Structures are given as C-alpha cells and as structure tokens.
Amino acid sequence: MDGVPSGNTRTIEEANRLQRVDELFNVLKNKRELWKQINPGKEFPGVAILQVDKRVPALVVKSVFQTSAFAGFPNISFMVGRIGGGKSE
C-alpha cells in the first residue's frame, strides 16, 4: 500500500485457494475510515490501483482484488507489467 508491503500472499499459493489478505484488509479499512472522518457526509469513492507483476498467479491477484473490495474499495484499476529491475518480455 503506497509502496509499503501490506501483507504476505505466500499462504494463498500454498493453500491454492482464494484468501483474504488480513494485513491489507486492515490497512484499507483504516484508510477508508480516516477518509470518512475527514469527509463527513460524502460518499467514499473507494478507488484502488493495483500494480501487478505479470508473473503473479491469478489466484493471488483475485485474492487481493476481493480483499480490496471487501475493505470498501470496489473501484479497482490494474497496472500489469514486470515489476523490478528486469526487462519486460
């Protein structure tokens, strides 16, 4: 979240099933609640942009997407590519 790791997705791959990413859920939920306190009476826009390395398994992407939606961020955009210092294929 904002360049800071907010959860570990290894357990998703190990379990081979969709899972909520608890740390990410809590960070997003807290971010939403703070926004609502600062902007009383306004509808929370709930926009998240997920930057996804194209090598990440779809199961992990789906889990992060669902975690974000359940935390109150239903409007999600994706940026897909290769993240890191390597060349893009």
Side-chain angles (χ1 to χ4, degrees):
M1 180 76 174
D2 297 327
V4 178
S6 298
N8 189 332
T9 59
R10 287 180 204 236
T11 57
I12 297 166
E13 292 181 75
E14 291 168 0
N16 197 33
R17 65 179 177 85
L18 289 173
Q19 293 184 14
R20 185 175 89 170
V21 183
D22 290 333
E23 289 177 49
L24 176 62
F25 177 83
N26 290 328
V27 168
L28 290 173
K29 184 178 164 189
N30 291 338
K31 193 172 198 74
R32 184 190 76 219
E33 292 304 316
L34 179 60
W35 188 94
K36 289 170 79 175
Q37 287 175 7
I38 295 170
N39 300 279
K42 293 185 181 179
E43 184 176 336
F44 180 64
V47 177
I49 299 173
L50 303 177
Q51 185 175 357
V52 180
D53 190 298
K54 65 182 182 179
R55 299 169 289 185
V56 172
L59 188 61
V60 171
V61 175
K62 289 177 184 179
S63 291
V64 170
F65 177 89
Q66 284 188 345
T67 297
S68 300
F70 292 150
F73 286 74
N75 303 307
I76 300 172
S77 296
F78 290 92
M79 295 174 57
V80 179
R82 188 164 180 155
I83 299 170
K87 290 183 179 180
S88 182
E89 296 176 3

